[in-house]
Amino acid sequence: MNDKRFKIAHREALIGIVLVIINFAIWFGFAYGLGSGDPKEYTYIFGFPAWFFYSCIAGTLFMILLIYVVIKFFFKDVPFDEEEDGEHK
Amino acid sequence: MHWHVIIPLVIFLVIIFVIGFWANKHVMQSNSFLQEYFLGGREMGGFLLAMTMMATYGSASSFIGGPGVAYNTGLGWVLLSMAQLPAGYYVLMVLGKKFAIIARKYKAITLIDFLRERYQSNVVVIVSAFSIIIFLFSSMAAQWIGGARLIESLTGLHYSTALFIFAVVVLVYVIIGGFRAVALTDAVQGSVMLIGSIILLIGTIIAGGGITNIMSDLVAENPKLVSPFGADGSLTPLYVSTFWILIGIGVIGLPQIAVRAMAYKNSKSMHSAIIIGTIAIGTVMFGMHLTGVLAHPVLPGIKIGDKVMPLLTLKVLPPFLAGIVLAAPMAAIMSTVNALLMLVSSTIVKDIYLNFIKPKASDSEIKKISFLVTALIGIAVIFVALKPPTLLVWLNLFSFGGLESVFVWPVIFGLYWRKGNKYGAITSMIVGLSSYILINQWWPNVFGMHTVTLPIVFSLISYVVISLLTHHKFKEFKHII
């Protein structure tokens, strides 16, 4: 029936989708925003072209940090087994 | 023969073997053979889950094919490969707790168990089993070939001897140890992949005289090597973006990944698996593909992409380290093959044999059949791999896209949409499968998108439309989700 755990699960699944959208936006925005010009005129950060640094390196590190924070503060522990929740059918 | 390289490889193989025998004890003592053999008793903790996801997902193409393409294409290919990052968190978050809870409620052991209970339809079971067997068999063959080629190039042994050695190692530990052996060896293999890719990346940067130096070499040769569009400008934003569907979000439809989302112990292990898994997948994918690009000036003029990674390792690292690093692609291949083998065998035993042929089989019969089927499939794949088709990456991606087109919507809507029903699922699976095969044959990359895009859209539309048209017939299933 309307298992309480499902409300949590639904919310967390939505968070997953939002995270992918953010991830895509960072990845796409920096890559094609900074990388579309003439490669000979790129600026470099730590030896990497700026688009690559922000999109693939900084963007990835940011996502990992974001995922860590989201898990720590928004994800709830729920029991998976039937006998522990006492509320079925 | 490179003996210094071979010794670490042999040590690696021995460790894998020992784990198989250790896991076999659990299999023999367990009181629920099916649950133990095919799911490891649902006891996976966070680290194990993360590593087995990463190791299953990272295959021959991440370590051999991918860096080879990156070598020729440049940084644009690294950009594309970073679309794989979501595979680490997205699948576990979206399937997440609901999948785990419902799988336990249904006592599901395979993905097909879940689909059968959810849709109550034999047609769903048959179509699923058919696509799993066809696609994963070809995918396994591709991995098997990669493994044999790798041993061949390192040891100088003949291809068929190499294939035989490789296959026997994998078969023995999978057959006797089941899923627990697969997951535990995945943890070892995943760690080897992680460490190996970091060592190789560092070694290559040093050999190339630093990042700045390598980048200016790349620009001097062809400035497009450092652009997001690739060396020949073929990586358009639309094409690269649709890769997110294939190697990012569509991964939910891969049975070998989905089945892992029902094997963990509790929600804590799921949480830590998300974090560890994302870091691990990010590191390996980024490390290996970037290494492929950086190899371009370090080791110029390699014609066959698949040779970039082994040759580079032997060139830039001292022999013993090279052995450890070369164990990484071997680990990647083994861990993918073992998961596929387990899955095909559980499909045949659990979803076909126990469903349709002999539902009342006793535990010892099931045990015998499971061992036998796993062995037979493994041997059949060896025969296919003996006369190998050439395009390793292609075969592998073919199976990814096909499985995703079939499974992604029946799984997602099966979990989250009450109106979703068997008619929607069946139509969507058939539409997804046939449109994928047709488009792949006749119009690959329609409108500049990756081949998988349209089949996924078609199967989405057919699932939703047919379910809406027929959902009034299904009052009695609504309690399930």
Side-chain angles (χ1 to χ4, degrees):
Chain A
M1 265 325 192
N2 282 324
D3 196 318
K4 263 186 291 186
R5 297 172 298 172
F6 287 169
K7 244 180 115 180
I8 298 173
H10 292 174
R11 201 177 65 130
E12 293 178 359
L14 275 179
I15 293 176
I17 294 171
V18 172
L19 283 175
V20 175
I21 295 172
I22 296 173
N23 193 347
F24 181 82
I26 295 174
W27 172 90
F28 189 90
F30 281 117
Y32 294 102
L34 295 174
S36 292
D38 183 353
K40 286 182 193 125
E41 276 145 36
Y42 283 164
T43 44
Y44 287 82
I45 298 173
F46 296 119
F48 295 103
W51 72 264
F52 184 78
F53 179 79
Y54 287 117
S55 171
C56 295
I57 300 175
T60 304
L61 292 176
F62 173 77
M63 278 315 295
I64 291 172
L65 188 73
L66 186 65
I67 289 162
Y68 181 80
V69 171
V70 163
I71 296 266
K72 280 287 168 233
F73 294 103
F74 295 97
F75 275 53
K76 292 212 171 69
D77 275 335
V78 299
F80 289 157
D81 287 314
E82 286 297 297
E83 61 274 7
E84 287 166 76
D85 72 317
E87 200 220 322
H88 47 275
K89 286 196 209 152
Chain B
M1 289 279 204
H2 310 275
W3 282 109
H4 294 290
V5 178
I6 293 170
I7 291 166
L9 279 179
V10 172
I11 297 174
F12 169 73
L13 290 181
V14 171
I15 295 175
I16 298 297
F17 235 83
V18 171
I19 294 176
F21 280 96
W22 182 82
N24 182 251
K25 272 192 194 154
H26 278 270
V27 173
M28 288 307 168
Q29 287 160 3
S30 168
N31 44 21
S32 167
F33 173 77
L34 279 175
Q35 178 124 292
E36 167 61 36
Y37 194 69
F38 292 119
L39 273 187
R42 291 194 218 272
E43 284 177 356
M44 279 207 286
F47 177 76
L48 214 54
L49 179 65
M51 282 304 169
T52 182
M53 295 274 288
M54 191 269 272
T56 302
Y57 182 66
S59 58
S61 63
S62 333
F63 279 84
I64 307 284
V69 182
Y71 177 90
N72 291 316
T73 313
L75 290 181
W77 196 259
V78 185
L79 176 72
L80 185 146
S81 73
M82 289 320 279
Q84 298 174 88
L85 188 69
Y89 58 90
Y90 181 79
V91 176
L92 284 179
M93 284 183 179
V94 170
L95 292 180
K97 290 173 180 151
K98 192 152 188 190
F99 195 53
I101 293 167
I102 290 185
R104 277 160 211 246
K105 203 175 255 175
Y106 290 171
K107 300 200 168 29
I109 285 169
T110 63
L111 180 67
I112 298 181
D113 278 342
F114 163 76
L115 295 172
R116 190 193 59 220
E117 283 297 315
R118 170 66 177 80
Y119 293 111
Q120 301 286 329
S121 153
N122 281 340
V123 183
V124 170
V125 174
I126 291 168
V127 176
S128 314
F130 175 77
S131 23
I132 286 183
I133 294 170
I134 296 288
F135 283 120
L136 291 192
F137 194 86
S138 70
S139 178
M140 230 186 321
Q143 298 287 329
W144 228 234
I145 293 162
R149 285 265 164 75
L150 189 72
I151 296 187
E152 182 190 19
S153 68
L154 289 177
T155 58
L157 290 170
H158 194 266
Y159 173 81
S160 48
T161 320
L163 179 68
F164 183 75
I165 295 178
F166 182 74
V168 166
V169 174
V170 176
L171 282 179
V172 168
Y173 78 78
V174 175
I175 292 169
I176 64 167
F179 190 88
R180 185 184 296 271
V182 168
L184 285 173
T185 50
D186 277 2
V188 176
Q189 289 156 347
S191 313
V192 169
M193 288 158 70
L194 201 57
I195 296 165
S197 60
I198 295 172
I199 296 178
L200 185 60
L201 178 60
I202 295 172
T204 310
I205 294 175
I206 295 172
I211 304 270
T212 312
N213 202 4
I214 296 176
M215 288 297 154
S216 57
D217 286 347
L218 286 172
V219 175
E221 193 190 322
N222 176 1
K224 282 186 180 152
L225 282 170
V226 301
S227 84
F229 300 95
D232 55 357
S234 62
L235 299 176
T236 65
L238 181 66
Y239 181 72
V240 176
S241 298
T242 50
F243 253 83
W244 278 66
I245 297 172
L246 178 72
I247 54 185
I249 57 183
V251 172
I252 286 184
L254 293 179
Q256 66 270 39
I257 299 292
V259 75
R260 281 162 169 67
M262 42 169 132
Y264 42 67
K265 206 185 335 182
N266 51 37
S267 43
K268 242 192 204 80
S269 40
M270 174 196 156
H271 295 166
S272 51
I274 293 176
I275 299 171
I276 302 170
T278 309
I279 296 175
I281 289 185
T283 311
V284 166
M285 296 305 161
F286 178 79
M288 285 317 297
H289 292 96
L290 180 61
T291 302
V293 179
L294 301 182
H296 199 105
V298 175
L299 201 68
I302 298 179
K303 292 279 177 297
I304 301 169
D306 284 357
K307 290 194 169 163
V308 170
M309 151 81 192
L311 289 177
L312 179 75
T313 311
L314 292 174
K315 178 176 162 137
V316 304
L317 295 176
F320 188 77
L321 273 185
I324 296 175
V325 171
L326 287 172
M330 187 105 93
I333 293 165
M334 287 169 84
S335 57
T336 301
V337 164
N338 64 26
L340 301 185
L341 188 58
M342 208 69 246
L343 198 76
V344 174
S345 126
S346 70
T347 304
I348 293 177
V349 174
K350 183 79 180 48
D351 303 317
I352 294 180
Y353 185 79
L354 287 182
N355 260 334
F356 299 116
I357 301 176
K358 198 169 180 194
K360 296 237 149 62
S362 72
D363 224 37
S364 68
E365 264 177 289
I366 300 175
K367 216 178 261 191
K368 242 182 269 164
I369 299 269
S370 301
F371 290 147
L372 187 73
V373 166
T374 314
L376 284 180
I377 300 164
I379 292 165
V381 185
I382 298 178
F383 279 106
V384 176
L386 267 178
K387 277 202 153 220
T390 38
L391 293 161
L392 195 137
V393 180
W394 184 84
L395 256 183
N396 200 24
L397 286 183
F398 185 80
S399 86
F400 259 47
L403 288 167
E404 290 173 0
S405 317
V406 171
F407 288 110
V408 73
W409 302 117
V411 172
I412 293 186
F413 286 135
L415 277 178
Y416 292 105
W417 193 38
R418 289 186 180 197
K419 287 180 182 166
N421 62 48
K422 67 175 177 189
Y423 298 118
I426 294 167
T427 325
S428 139
M429 290 170 118
I430 293 172
V431 168
L433 181 65
S434 46
S435 63
Y436 183 76
I437 292 174
L438 287 176
I439 291 177
N440 196 62
Q441 282 299 317
W442 306 106
W443 310 277
N445 310 332
V446 219
F447 313 127
M449 299 180 300
H450 188 273
T451 313
V452 83
T453 318
L454 282 182
I456 293 235
V457 173
F458 292 155
S459 62
L460 168 67
I461 296 170
S462 42
Y463 190 104
V464 173
V465 170
I466 302 292
S467 292
L468 283 177
L469 289 176
T470 54
H471 80 273
H472 57 274
K473 296 182 182 171
F474 294 91
K475 295 267 183 282
E476 71 274 31
F477 292 129
K478 289 196 173 166
H479 67 277
I480 305 177
I481 55 165

